Amino acid sequence: EMRAKLRSTGAIGETERPKVVPLTHYLLYKYNVDWHQLVDETRQGSNKEEMEKAEKMLQEVQAAFRESEAKASVARQKLLEAQSAENAAKDREDAAKASEAAAKKKEAEAKAAAEQAKKTETQANSDAAAAKDREAEALAAQQELEAALQELHAQEKAYNDKKAELQKKSEEGGVVSRNKAANELAQLLAEDPLPLRRAKITQEAAVKKAERATAAAASAREAAEKSAAAASQARQESEAAANNATAAREQAEKDAQAASRAREAATAAAQASAAAKAEADAAVEEARQQLEAAEAFLEEVRSRPGQAFGALFWLDRELHEQRKYLPVSKGGIAK
Protein backbone atom coordinates (compact mmCIF):
# COMPACT_ATOMS: atom_id res chain seq x y z
CA GLU A 1 0.00 0.00 0.00
CA MET A 2 2.83 2.38 0.86
CA ARG A 3 4.63 1.56 -2.41
CA ALA A 4 1.43 2.20 -4.36
CA LYS A 5 1.02 5.59 -2.67
CA LEU A 6 4.65 6.54 -3.33
CA ARG A 7 4.35 5.48 -6.97
CA SER A 8 1.17 7.53 -7.43
CA THR A 9 3.01 10.67 -6.33
CA GLY A 10 6.18 9.89 -8.27
CA ALA A 11 8.31 9.42 -5.19
CA ILE A 12 9.46 6.04 -6.55
CA GLY A 13 9.36 4.57 -10.03
CA GLU A 14 6.69 2.18 -11.30
CA THR A 15 9.07 -0.78 -11.30
CA GLU A 16 10.93 0.04 -8.08
CA ARG A 17 10.61 -2.34 -5.12
CA PRO A 18 12.99 -0.85 -2.48
CA LYS A 19 14.01 -3.24 0.28
CA VAL A 20 15.06 -0.38 2.55
CA VAL A 21 12.49 2.37 3.16
CA PRO A 22 13.96 5.86 3.78
CA LEU A 23 12.45 7.88 6.61
CA THR A 24 11.39 10.50 4.09
CA HIS A 25 9.28 7.92 2.23
CA TYR A 26 7.63 6.83 5.45
CA LEU A 27 6.81 10.43 6.40
CA LEU A 28 5.41 11.12 2.92
CA TYR A 29 3.13 8.09 3.26
CA LYS A 30 2.10 8.62 6.88
CA TYR A 31 1.21 12.31 6.50
CA ASN A 32 -0.03 12.06 2.92
CA VAL A 33 2.34 14.82 1.77
CA ASP A 34 3.36 15.46 -1.85
CA TRP A 35 7.11 15.03 -2.14
CA HIS A 36 7.30 18.19 -4.28
CA GLN A 37 6.06 20.19 -1.29
CA LEU A 38 8.58 18.44 0.90
CA VAL A 39 11.37 19.39 -1.46
CA ASP A 40 10.14 22.98 -1.61
CA GLU A 41 10.13 23.13 2.17
CA THR A 42 13.70 21.92 2.33
CA ARG A 43 15.07 24.72 0.20
CA GLN A 44 17.50 26.59 2.38
CA GLY A 45 19.31 28.97 0.06
CA SER A 46 18.88 31.83 -2.32
CA ASN A 47 19.35 29.78 -5.52
CA LYS A 48 15.67 29.43 -6.29
CA GLU A 49 16.05 30.43 -9.94
CA GLU A 50 18.82 27.92 -10.48
CA MET A 51 16.76 25.19 -8.83
CA GLU A 52 13.78 26.03 -11.01
CA LYS A 53 16.03 25.81 -14.06
CA ALA A 54 17.33 22.45 -12.84
CA GLU A 55 13.77 21.21 -12.34
CA LYS A 56 12.86 22.39 -15.83
CA MET A 57 15.88 20.58 -17.24
CA LEU A 58 14.78 17.47 -15.35
CA GLN A 59 11.30 17.72 -16.84
CA GLU A 60 12.78 18.13 -20.30
CA VAL A 61 15.03 15.13 -19.76
CA GLN A 62 12.09 13.06 -18.52
CA ALA A 63 9.97 14.11 -21.51
CA ALA A 64 12.83 13.38 -23.90
CA PHE A 65 13.33 9.90 -22.45
CA ARG A 66 9.62 9.13 -22.48
CA GLU A 67 9.38 10.15 -26.13
CA SER A 68 12.62 8.41 -27.18
CA GLU A 69 11.70 5.24 -25.28
CA ALA A 70 8.29 5.14 -26.97
CA LYS A 71 9.86 5.68 -30.39
CA ALA A 72 12.60 3.16 -29.74
CA SER A 73 10.16 0.51 -28.52
CA VAL A 74 7.93 0.90 -31.57
CA ALA A 75 10.95 1.06 -33.90
CA ARG A 76 12.48 -2.10 -32.43
CA GLN A 77 9.24 -4.01 -32.77
CA LYS A 78 8.65 -2.81 -36.32
CA LEU A 79 12.24 -3.61 -37.29
CA LEU A 80 11.91 -7.15 -35.96
CA GLU A 81 8.63 -7.61 -37.82
CA ALA A 82 10.07 -6.12 -41.02
CA GLN A 83 13.17 -8.31 -40.83
CA SER A 84 11.03 -11.38 -40.22
CA ALA A 85 8.81 -10.44 -43.17
CA GLU A 86 11.89 -9.85 -45.32
CA ASN A 87 13.33 -13.26 -44.43
CA ALA A 88 10.00 -14.92 -45.17
CA ALA A 89 9.80 -13.05 -48.50
CA LYS A 90 13.33 -14.19 -49.38
CA ASP A 91 12.38 -17.78 -48.59
CA ARG A 92 9.28 -17.49 -50.80
CA GLU A 93 11.36 -15.91 -53.56
CA ASP A 94 13.93 -18.72 -53.37
CA ALA A 95 11.16 -21.34 -53.46
CA ALA A 96 9.48 -19.58 -56.41
CA LYS A 97 12.76 -19.40 -58.33
CA ALA A 98 13.40 -23.09 -57.62
CA SER A 99 9.90 -23.89 -58.90
CA GLU A 100 10.59 -21.76 -61.97
CA ALA A 101 13.83 -23.62 -62.68
CA ALA A 102 12.08 -26.98 -62.23
CA ALA A 103 9.25 -25.86 -64.53
CA LYS A 104 11.74 -24.76 -67.20
CA LYS A 105 13.52 -28.11 -67.00
CA LYS A 106 10.23 -29.99 -67.20
CA GLU A 107 9.16 -27.86 -70.16
CA ALA A 108 12.42 -28.59 -71.99
CA GLU A 109 12.01 -32.31 -71.33
CA ALA A 110 8.37 -32.24 -72.46
CA LYS A 111 9.27 -30.39 -75.67
CA ALA A 112 12.08 -32.86 -76.37
CA ALA A 113 9.66 -35.75 -75.80
CA ALA A 114 7.09 -34.10 -78.11
CA GLU A 115 9.72 -33.64 -80.81
CA GLN A 116 10.80 -37.27 -80.49
CA ALA A 117 7.16 -38.39 -80.60
CA LYS A 118 6.68 -36.37 -83.79
CA LYS A 119 9.71 -38.06 -85.38
CA THR A 120 8.42 -41.46 -84.27
CA GLU A 121 5.00 -40.66 -85.74
CA THR A 122 6.57 -39.59 -89.05
CA GLN A 123 8.58 -42.82 -89.22
CA ALA A 124 5.55 -44.90 -88.25
CA ASN A 125 3.43 -43.23 -90.96
CA SER A 126 6.22 -43.84 -93.46
CA ASP A 127 6.43 -47.49 -92.41
CA ALA A 128 2.65 -47.83 -92.67
CA ALA A 129 2.67 -46.35 -96.18
CA ALA A 130 5.49 -48.68 -97.24
CA ALA A 131 3.64 -51.68 -95.78
CA LYS A 132 0.52 -50.62 -97.67
CA ASP A 133 2.52 -50.41 -100.88
CA ARG A 134 4.01 -53.86 -100.29
CA GLU A 135 0.54 -55.23 -99.65
CA ALA A 136 -0.70 -53.71 -102.88
CA GLU A 137 2.26 -55.20 -104.78
CA ALA A 138 1.66 -58.61 -103.22
CA LEU A 139 -2.04 -58.42 -104.04
CA ALA A 140 -1.31 -57.42 -107.63
CA ALA A 141 1.11 -60.32 -108.01
CA GLN A 142 -1.46 -62.67 -106.50
CA GLN A 143 -4.15 -61.42 -108.85
CA GLU A 144 -1.81 -61.86 -111.83
CA LEU A 145 -1.07 -65.44 -110.81
CA GLU A 146 -4.75 -66.13 -110.22
CA ALA A 147 -5.54 -64.83 -113.70
CA ALA A 148 -2.91 -67.14 -115.21
CA LEU A 149 -4.30 -70.03 -113.19
CA GLN A 150 -7.81 -69.25 -114.42
CA GLU A 151 -6.43 -69.31 -117.97
CA LEU A 152 -4.98 -72.78 -117.33
CA HIS A 153 -8.29 -73.90 -115.86
CA ALA A 154 -10.04 -72.59 -118.96
CA GLN A 155 -7.63 -74.50 -121.21
CA GLU A 156 -8.17 -77.66 -119.19
CA LYS A 157 -11.93 -77.23 -119.38
CA ALA A 158 -11.79 -76.64 -123.09
CA TYR A 159 -9.73 -79.83 -123.49
CA ASN A 160 -12.14 -81.87 -121.39
CA ASP A 161 -15.20 -80.37 -123.10
CA LYS A 162 -13.78 -81.16 -126.58
CA LYS A 163 -12.90 -84.69 -125.50
CA ALA A 164 -16.42 -85.27 -124.16
CA GLU A 165 -17.93 -83.83 -127.33
CA LEU A 166 -15.81 -86.04 -129.62
CA GLN A 167 -16.54 -89.07 -127.45
CA LYS A 168 -20.28 -88.44 -127.87
CA LYS A 169 -19.99 -87.86 -131.62
CA SER A 170 -18.01 -91.05 -132.05
CA GLU A 171 -20.86 -92.98 -130.56
CA GLU A 172 -23.83 -91.30 -132.31
CA GLY A 173 -24.81 -90.42 -135.82
CA GLY A 174 -23.75 -91.90 -139.13
CA VAL A 175 -20.75 -94.02 -139.80
CA VAL A 176 -18.83 -91.24 -141.51
CA SER A 177 -19.42 -88.77 -138.70
CA ARG A 178 -18.62 -91.35 -136.06
CA ASN A 179 -15.41 -92.30 -137.76
CA LYS A 180 -14.39 -88.69 -138.17
CA ALA A 181 -15.14 -87.99 -134.49
CA ALA A 182 -13.26 -91.13 -133.44
CA ASN A 183 -10.27 -90.07 -135.53
CA GLU A 184 -10.25 -86.56 -133.99
CA LEU A 185 -10.67 -88.06 -130.52
CA ALA A 186 -7.74 -90.35 -131.14
CA GLN A 187 -5.65 -87.38 -132.23
CA LEU A 188 -6.74 -85.42 -129.15
CA LEU A 189 -5.94 -88.25 -126.80
CA ALA A 190 -2.61 -88.70 -128.53
CA GLU A 191 -1.63 -85.21 -127.41
CA ASP A 192 0.49 -85.06 -124.17
CA PRO A 193 -1.61 -83.41 -121.36
CA LEU A 194 1.34 -83.43 -118.93
CA PRO A 195 2.61 -79.88 -119.62
CA LEU A 196 -0.84 -78.46 -118.94
CA ARG A 197 -1.21 -80.44 -115.73
CA ARG A 198 2.31 -79.48 -114.61
CA ALA A 199 1.67 -75.83 -115.42
CA LYS A 200 -1.58 -75.93 -113.48
CA ILE A 201 0.06 -77.50 -110.45
CA THR A 202 2.92 -75.02 -110.55
CA GLN A 203 0.55 -72.12 -110.96
CA GLU A 204 -1.66 -73.29 -108.10
CA ALA A 205 1.39 -73.51 -105.86
CA ALA A 206 2.45 -70.00 -106.93
CA VAL A 207 -1.04 -68.65 -106.21
CA LYS A 208 -1.03 -70.19 -102.73
CA LYS A 209 2.41 -68.70 -102.07
CA ALA A 210 1.19 -65.34 -103.31
CA GLU A 211 -1.87 -65.59 -101.07
CA ARG A 212 0.38 -66.20 -98.07
CA ALA A 213 2.59 -63.26 -99.07
CA THR A 214 -0.47 -61.04 -99.47
CA ALA A 215 -1.82 -62.10 -96.07
CA ALA A 216 1.56 -61.42 -94.46
CA ALA A 217 1.74 -58.02 -96.17
CA ALA A 218 -1.78 -57.23 -94.93
CA SER A 219 -0.83 -58.20 -91.38
CA ALA A 220 2.30 -56.07 -91.62
CA ARG A 221 0.26 -53.18 -92.94
CA GLU A 222 -2.28 -53.48 -90.12
CA ALA A 223 0.50 -53.60 -87.53
CA ALA A 224 2.20 -50.59 -89.12
CA GLU A 225 -1.09 -48.67 -89.14
CA LYS A 226 -1.63 -49.51 -85.46
CA SER A 227 1.90 -48.34 -84.67
CA ALA A 228 1.27 -45.14 -86.62
CA ALA A 229 -1.99 -44.55 -84.75
CA ALA A 230 -0.26 -45.16 -81.43
CA ALA A 231 2.56 -42.83 -82.46
CA SER A 232 0.01 -40.14 -83.39
CA GLN A 233 -1.70 -40.54 -80.03
CA ALA A 234 1.66 -40.37 -78.23
CA ARG A 235 2.59 -37.27 -80.23
CA GLN A 236 -0.70 -35.56 -79.32
CA GLU A 237 -0.25 -36.42 -75.65
CA SER A 238 3.36 -35.24 -75.72
CA GLU A 239 2.35 -31.96 -77.34
CA ALA A 240 -0.39 -31.51 -74.73
CA ALA A 241 2.13 -32.23 -71.96
CA ALA A 242 4.54 -29.74 -73.53
CA ASN A 243 1.80 -27.10 -73.68
CA ASN A 244 0.93 -27.76 -70.04
CA ALA A 245 4.60 -27.54 -69.10
CA THR A 246 4.89 -24.22 -70.96
CA ALA A 247 1.85 -22.87 -69.12
CA ALA A 248 3.31 -24.08 -65.81
CA ARG A 249 6.63 -22.45 -66.64
CA GLU A 250 4.94 -19.15 -67.51
CA GLN A 251 2.98 -19.25 -64.25
CA ALA A 252 6.16 -20.10 -62.33
CA GLU A 253 7.90 -17.11 -63.92
CA LYS A 254 5.01 -14.85 -62.90
CA ASP A 255 5.10 -16.27 -59.36
CA ALA A 256 8.86 -15.74 -59.18
CA GLN A 257 8.51 -12.16 -60.41
CA ALA A 258 5.76 -11.50 -57.86
CA ALA A 259 7.90 -13.06 -55.12
CA SER A 260 10.84 -10.86 -56.15
CA ARG A 261 8.66 -7.76 -56.01
CA ALA A 262 7.36 -8.80 -52.59
CA ARG A 263 10.92 -9.40 -51.39
CA GLU A 264 12.00 -5.99 -52.70
CA ALA A 265 9.08 -4.38 -50.91
CA ALA A 266 9.92 -6.27 -47.72
CA THR A 267 13.57 -5.20 -48.02
CA ALA A 268 12.50 -1.59 -48.50
CA ALA A 269 10.22 -1.87 -45.45
CA ALA A 270 13.08 -3.38 -43.43
CA GLN A 271 15.38 -0.53 -44.51
CA ALA A 272 12.72 2.00 -43.55
CA SER A 273 12.33 0.30 -40.18
CA ALA A 274 16.09 0.33 -39.71
CA ALA A 275 16.11 4.05 -40.51
CA ALA A 276 13.30 4.59 -38.01
CA LYS A 277 15.25 2.67 -35.39
CA ALA A 278 18.34 4.74 -36.13
CA GLU A 279 16.22 7.85 -35.68
CA ALA A 280 14.90 6.50 -32.39
CA ASP A 281 18.46 5.69 -31.30
CA ALA A 282 19.43 9.25 -32.18
CA ALA A 283 16.56 10.49 -30.02
CA VAL A 284 17.86 8.32 -27.15
CA GLU A 285 21.33 9.77 -27.69
CA GLU A 286 19.93 13.28 -27.64
CA ALA A 287 18.09 12.49 -24.41
CA ARG A 288 21.37 11.14 -22.97
CA GLN A 289 23.11 14.38 -23.83
CA GLN A 290 20.31 16.34 -22.18
CA LEU A 291 20.68 14.11 -19.12
CA GLU A 292 24.41 14.74 -18.93
CA ALA A 293 23.85 18.47 -19.37
CA ALA A 294 21.31 18.43 -16.55
CA GLU A 295 23.64 16.42 -14.33
CA ALA A 296 26.50 18.81 -15.07
CA PHE A 297 24.30 21.79 -14.28
CA LEU A 298 23.11 20.16 -11.05
CA GLU A 299 26.72 19.48 -10.07
CA GLU A 300 27.53 23.13 -10.77
CA VAL A 301 24.63 24.26 -8.59
CA ARG A 302 25.74 21.90 -5.83
CA SER A 303 29.19 23.48 -5.81
CA ARG A 304 27.82 26.97 -5.17
CA PRO A 305 26.82 28.42 -1.78
CA GLY A 306 23.22 28.61 -0.71
CA GLN A 307 22.36 25.01 -1.56
CA ALA A 308 18.90 23.51 -1.17
CA PHE A 309 19.94 20.05 -0.06
CA GLY A 310 16.53 18.43 -0.19
CA ALA A 311 15.82 19.63 -3.70
CA LEU A 312 19.31 18.66 -4.82
CA PHE A 313 18.77 15.18 -3.39
CA TRP A 314 15.52 14.65 -5.23
CA LEU A 315 16.74 16.16 -8.48
CA ASP A 316 19.86 14.04 -8.36
CA ARG A 317 17.79 10.95 -7.62
CA GLU A 318 15.34 11.65 -10.47
CA LEU A 319 18.16 12.25 -12.94
CA HIS A 320 19.77 9.02 -11.82
CA GLU A 321 16.47 7.22 -12.44
CA GLN A 322 16.49 8.42 -16.07
CA ARG A 323 19.60 6.35 -16.72
CA LYS A 324 17.38 3.27 -16.62
CA TYR A 325 16.20 4.26 -20.10
CA LEU A 326 19.76 4.18 -21.48
CA PRO A 327 21.69 1.16 -22.69
CA VAL A 328 24.33 -0.01 -20.23
CA SER A 329 26.96 0.61 -22.91
CA LYS A 330 26.02 4.29 -22.85
CA GLY A 331 25.98 4.76 -19.09
CA GLY A 332 22.61 3.18 -18.40
CA ILE A 333 21.69 1.22 -15.27
CA ALA A 334 19.56 -1.87 -14.76
CA LYS A 335 15.87 -1.27 -14.21
mmCIF file of all heavy atoms in Angstrom, residues 161-185:
data_model
loop_
_atom_site.group_PDB
_atom_site.id
_atom_site.type_symbol
_atom_site.label_atom_id
_atom_site.label_comp_id
_atom_site.label_asym_id
_atom_site.label_seq_id
_atom_site.Cartn_x
_atom_site.Cartn_y
_atom_site.Cartn_z
ATOM 1 N N ASP A 161 -13.921 -80.540 -122.374
ATOM 2 C CA ASP A 161 -15.200 -80.369 -123.097
ATOM 3 C C ASP A 161 -15.091 -80.924 -124.524
ATOM 4 O O ASP A 161 -16.030 -81.603 -125.047
ATOM 5 C CB ASP A 161 -15.563 -78.899 -123.148
ATOM 6 C CG ASP A 161 -15.996 -78.366 -121.783
ATOM 7 O OD1 ASP A 161 -16.249 -79.192 -120.863
ATOM 8 O OD2 ASP A 161 -16.056 -77.113 -121.599
ATOM 9 N N LYS A 162 -13.963 -80.665 -125.203
ATOM 10 C CA LYS A 162 -13.782 -81.160 -126.577
ATOM 11 C C LYS A 162 -13.707 -82.676 -126.586
ATOM 12 O O LYS A 162 -14.252 -83.359 -127.475
ATOM 13 C CB LYS A 162 -12.517 -80.551 -127.155
ATOM 14 C CG LYS A 162 -12.335 -80.886 -128.628
ATOM 15 C CD LYS A 162 -11.122 -80.155 -129.196
ATOM 16 C CE LYS A 162 -10.978 -80.467 -130.693
ATOM 17 N NZ LYS A 162 -9.804 -79.781 -131.281
ATOM 18 N N LYS A 163 -13.014 -83.225 -125.579
ATOM 19 C CA LYS A 163 -12.898 -84.685 -125.502
ATOM 20 C C LYS A 163 -14.269 -85.319 -125.315
ATOM 21 O O LYS A 163 -14.603 -86.341 -125.941
ATOM 22 C CB LYS A 163 -11.953 -85.061 -124.340
ATOM 23 C CG LYS A 163 -11.702 -86.572 -124.268
ATOM 24 C CD LYS A 163 -10.666 -86.876 -123.193
ATOM 25 C CE LYS A 163 -11.258 -86.678 -121.811
ATOM 26 N NZ LYS A 163 -10.347 -87.209 -120.757
ATOM 27 N N ALA A 164 -15.086 -84.723 -124.411
ATOM 28 C CA ALA A 164 -16.419 -85.268 -124.164
ATOM 29 C C ALA A 164 -17.290 -85.146 -125.406
ATOM 30 O O ALA A 164 -18.078 -86.065 -125.743
ATOM 31 C CB ALA A 164 -17.045 -84.528 -122.974
ATOM 32 N N GLU A 165 -17.126 -84.040 -126.118
ATOM 33 C CA GLU A 165 -17.930 -83.827 -127.333
ATOM 34 C C GLU A 165 -17.557 -84.847 -128.410
ATOM 35 O O GLU A 165 -18.434 -85.452 -129.066
ATOM 36 C CB GLU A 165 -17.704 -82.406 -127.843
ATOM 37 C CG GLU A 165 -18.530 -82.096 -129.083
ATOM 38 C CD GLU A 165 -18.219 -80.695 -129.626
ATOM 39 O OE1 GLU A 165 -17.359 -79.990 -129.029
ATOM 40 O OE2 GLU A 165 -18.831 -80.329 -130.629
ATOM 41 N N LEU A 166 -16.251 -85.073 -128.598
ATOM 42 C CA LEU A 166 -15.809 -86.040 -129.622
ATOM 43 C C LEU A 166 -16.195 -87.454 -129.221
ATOM 44 O O LEU A 166 -16.536 -88.304 -130.075
ATOM 45 C CB LEU A 166 -14.299 -85.934 -129.804
ATOM 46 C CG LEU A 166 -13.807 -84.637 -130.467
ATOM 47 C CD1 LEU A 166 -12.286 -84.582 -130.459
ATOM 48 C CD2 LEU A 166 -14.348 -84.510 -131.892
ATOM 49 N N GLN A 167 -16.157 -87.745 -127.938
ATOM 50 C CA GLN A 167 -16.542 -89.067 -127.446
ATOM 51 C C GLN A 167 -18.006 -89.322 -127.772
ATOM 52 O O GLN A 167 -18.377 -90.426 -128.222
ATOM 53 C CB GLN A 167 -16.308 -89.142 -125.918
ATOM 54 C CG GLN A 167 -16.635 -90.500 -125.315
ATOM 55 C CD GLN A 167 -15.632 -91.577 -125.731
ATOM 56 O OE1 GLN A 167 -14.431 -91.303 -125.882
ATOM 57 N NE2 GLN A 167 -16.111 -92.795 -125.976
ATOM 58 N N LYS A 168 -18.842 -88.305 -127.599
ATOM 59 C CA LYS A 168 -20.275 -88.443 -127.867
ATOM 60 C C LYS A 168 -20.527 -88.602 -129.362
ATOM 61 O O LYS A 168 -21.358 -89.435 -129.793
ATOM 62 C CB LYS A 168 -21.000 -87.216 -127.324
ATOM 63 C CG LYS A 168 -22.499 -87.315 -127.462
ATOM 64 C CD LYS A 168 -23.153 -86.091 -126.846
ATOM 65 C CE LYS A 168 -24.663 -86.181 -126.998
ATOM 66 N NZ LYS A 168 -25.342 -85.001 -126.441
ATOM 67 N N LYS A 169 -19.805 -87.792 -130.169
ATOM 68 C CA LYS A 169 -19.993 -87.863 -131.621
ATOM 69 C C LYS A 169 -19.526 -89.196 -132.194
ATOM 70 O O LYS A 169 -20.073 -89.692 -133.208
ATOM 71 C CB LYS A 169 -19.246 -86.734 -132.297
ATOM 72 C CG LYS A 169 -19.912 -85.380 -132.130
ATOM 73 C CD LYS A 169 -19.124 -84.311 -132.869
ATOM 74 C CE LYS A 169 -19.809 -82.947 -132.761
ATOM 75 N NZ LYS A 169 -19.073 -81.901 -133.509
ATOM 76 N N SER A 170 -18.520 -89.767 -131.540
ATOM 77 C CA SER A 170 -18.008 -91.048 -132.050
ATOM 78 C C SER A 170 -18.952 -92.192 -131.751
ATOM 79 O O SER A 170 -18.813 -93.303 -132.283
ATOM 80 C CB SER A 170 -16.640 -91.343 -131.437
ATOM 81 O OG SER A 170 -16.768 -91.584 -130.043
ATOM 82 N N GLU A 171 -19.921 -91.937 -130.951
ATOM 83 C CA GLU A 171 -20.865 -92.985 -130.560
ATOM 84 C C GLU A 171 -22.245 -92.749 -131.162
ATOM 85 O O GLU A 171 -23.115 -93.624 -131.103
ATOM 86 C CB GLU A 171 -20.974 -93.044 -129.028
ATOM 87 C CG GLU A 171 -19.675 -93.459 -128.366
ATOM 88 C CD GLU A 171 -19.761 -93.350 -126.863
ATOM 89 O OE1 GLU A 171 -20.807 -92.853 -126.352
ATOM 90 O OE2 GLU A 171 -18.798 -93.732 -126.156
ATOM 91 N N GLU A 172 -22.507 -91.638 -131.769
ATOM 92 C CA GLU A 172 -23.831 -91.302 -132.307
ATOM 93 C C GLU A 172 -23.690 -90.865 -133.773
ATOM 94 O O GLU A 172 -22.603 -90.445 -134.210
ATOM 95 C CB GLU A 172 -24.453 -90.177 -131.465
ATOM 96 C CG GLU A 172 -24.702 -90.565 -130.023
ATOM 97 C CD GLU A 172 -25.242 -89.355 -129.234
ATOM 98 O OE1 GLU A 172 -25.298 -88.246 -129.804
ATOM 99 O OE2 GLU A 172 -25.570 -89.521 -128.039
ATOM 100 N N GLY A 173 -24.796 -90.907 -134.452
ATOM 101 C CA GLY A 173 -24.805 -90.418 -135.823
ATOM 102 C C GLY A 173 -24.410 -91.485 -136.841
ATOM 103 O O GLY A 173 -24.334 -92.675 -136.554
ATOM 104 N N GLY A 174 -24.096 -90.974 -138.057
ATOM 105 C CA GLY A 174 -23.754 -91.895 -139.130
ATOM 106 C C GLY A 174 -22.339 -92.415 -138.993
ATOM 107 O O GLY A 174 -21.546 -91.952 -138.164
ATOM 108 N N VAL A 175 -22.042 -93.372 -139.880
ATOM 109 C CA VAL A 175 -20.749 -94.020 -139.802
ATOM 110 C C VAL A 175 -19.639 -93.025 -140.082
ATOM 111 O O VAL A 175 -18.612 -93.008 -139.418
ATOM 112 C CB VAL A 175 -20.676 -95.208 -140.807
ATOM 113 C CG1 VAL A 175 -19.294 -95.832 -140.845
ATOM 114 C CG2 VAL A 175 -21.725 -96.251 -140.481
ATOM 115 N N VAL A 176 -19.866 -92.199 -141.101
ATOM 116 C CA VAL A 176 -18.826 -91.240 -141.508
ATOM 117 C C VAL A 176 -18.533 -90.271 -140.363
ATOM 118 O O VAL A 176 -17.377 -90.009 -140.015
ATOM 119 C CB VAL A 176 -19.248 -90.461 -142.778
ATOM 120 C CG1 VAL A 176 -18.208 -89.404 -143.129
ATOM 121 C CG2 VAL A 176 -19.440 -91.427 -143.945
ATOM 122 N N SER A 177 -19.620 -89.741 -139.776
ATOM 123 C CA SER A 177 -19.421 -88.773 -138.705
ATOM 124 C C SER A 177 -18.813 -89.426 -137.469
ATOM 125 O O SER A 177 -17.983 -88.817 -136.775
ATOM 126 C CB SER A 177 -20.743 -88.092 -138.340
ATOM 127 O OG SER A 177 -21.678 -89.061 -137.888
ATOM 128 N N ARG A 178 -19.176 -90.679 -137.220
ATOM 129 C CA ARG A 178 -18.623 -91.355 -136.065
ATOM 130 C C ARG A 178 -17.138 -91.607 -136.249
ATOM 131 O O ARG A 178 -16.343 -91.425 -135.332
ATOM 132 C CB ARG A 178 -19.340 -92.688 -135.812
ATOM 133 C CG ARG A 178 -20.762 -92.520 -135.263
ATOM 134 C CD ARG A 178 -21.231 -93.811 -134.584
ATOM 135 N NE ARG A 178 -21.145 -94.948 -135.482
ATOM 136 C CZ ARG A 178 -22.077 -95.319 -136.323
ATOM 137 N NH1 ARG A 178 -23.220 -94.650 -136.392
ATOM 138 N NH2 ARG A 178 -21.909 -96.386 -137.122
ATOM 139 N N ASN A 179 -16.814 -92.036 -137.486
ATOM 140 C CA ASN A 179 -15.408 -92.304 -137.763
ATOM 141 C C ASN A 179 -14.561 -91.034 -137.685
ATOM 142 O O ASN A 179 -13.434 -91.041 -137.182
ATOM 143 C CB ASN A 179 -15.251 -92.949 -139.150
ATOM 144 C CG ASN A 179 -15.806 -94.378 -139.184
ATOM 145 O OD1 ASN A 179 -15.871 -95.045 -138.137
ATOM 146 N ND2 ASN A 179 -16.207 -94.851 -140.356
ATOM 147 N N LYS A 180 -15.118 -89.966 -138.224
ATOM 148 C CA LYS A 180 -14.386 -88.688 -138.171
ATOM 149 C C LYS A 180 -14.161 -88.255 -136.716
ATOM 150 O O LYS A 180 -13.073 -87.818 -136.326
ATOM 151 C CB LYS A 180 -15.168 -87.605 -138.917
ATOM 152 C CG LYS A 180 -14.457 -86.271 -138.937
ATOM 153 C CD LYS A 180 -15.283 -85.251 -139.712
ATOM 154 C CE LYS A 180 -14.556 -83.900 -139.714
ATOM 155 N NZ LYS A 180 -15.342 -82.864 -140.415
ATOM 156 N N ALA A 181 -15.256 -88.372 -135.898
ATOM 157 C CA ALA A 181 -15.142 -87.988 -134.491
ATOM 158 C C ALA A 181 -14.156 -88.884 -133.762
ATOM 159 O O ALA A 181 -13.359 -88.435 -132.925
ATOM 160 C CB ALA A 181 -16.504 -88.054 -133.823
ATOM 161 N N ALA A 182 -14.179 -90.202 -134.097
ATOM 162 C CA ALA A 182 -13.263 -91.126 -133.438
ATOM 163 C C ALA A 182 -11.834 -90.797 -133.795
ATOM 164 O O ALA A 182 -10.908 -90.894 -132.961
ATOM 165 C CB ALA A 182 -13.616 -92.564 -133.830
ATOM 166 N N ASN A 183 -11.621 -90.432 -135.096
ATOM 167 C CA ASN A 183 -10.275 -90.070 -135.534
ATOM 168 C C ASN A 183 -9.768 -88.813 -134.794
ATOM 169 O O ASN A 183 -8.618 -88.759 -134.330
ATOM 170 C CB ASN A 183 -10.280 -89.847 -137.038
ATOM 171 C CG ASN A 183 -8.878 -89.587 -137.576
ATOM 172 O OD1 ASN A 183 -7.918 -90.240 -137.156
ATOM 173 N ND2 ASN A 183 -8.762 -88.636 -138.471
ATOM 174 N N GLU A 184 -10.634 -87.807 -134.692
ATOM 175 C CA GLU A 184 -10.246 -86.556 -133.995
ATOM 176 C C GLU A 184 -10.006 -86.822 -132.499
ATOM 177 O O GLU A 184 -9.093 -86.245 -131.874
ATOM 178 C CB GLU A 184 -11.325 -85.497 -134.158
ATOM 179 C CG GLU A 184 -11.416 -84.977 -135.578
ATOM 180 C CD GLU A 184 -12.520 -83.934 -135.732
ATOM 181 O OE1 GLU A 184 -13.247 -83.660 -134.698
ATOM 182 O OE2 GLU A 184 -12.684 -83.383 -136.818
ATOM 183 N N LEU A 185 -10.845 -87.714 -131.934
ATOM 184 C CA LEU A 185 -10.673 -88.057 -130.515
ATOM 185 C C LEU A 185 -9.336 -88.745 -130.307
ATOM 186 O O LEU A 185 -8.630 -88.472 -129.312
ATOM 187 C CB LEU A 185 -11.827 -88.947 -130.049
ATOM 188 C CG LEU A 185 -11.754 -89.425 -128.589
ATOM 189 C CD1 LEU A 185 -11.764 -88.199 -127.640
ATOM 190 C CD2 LEU A 185 -12.934 -90.357 -128.279
#
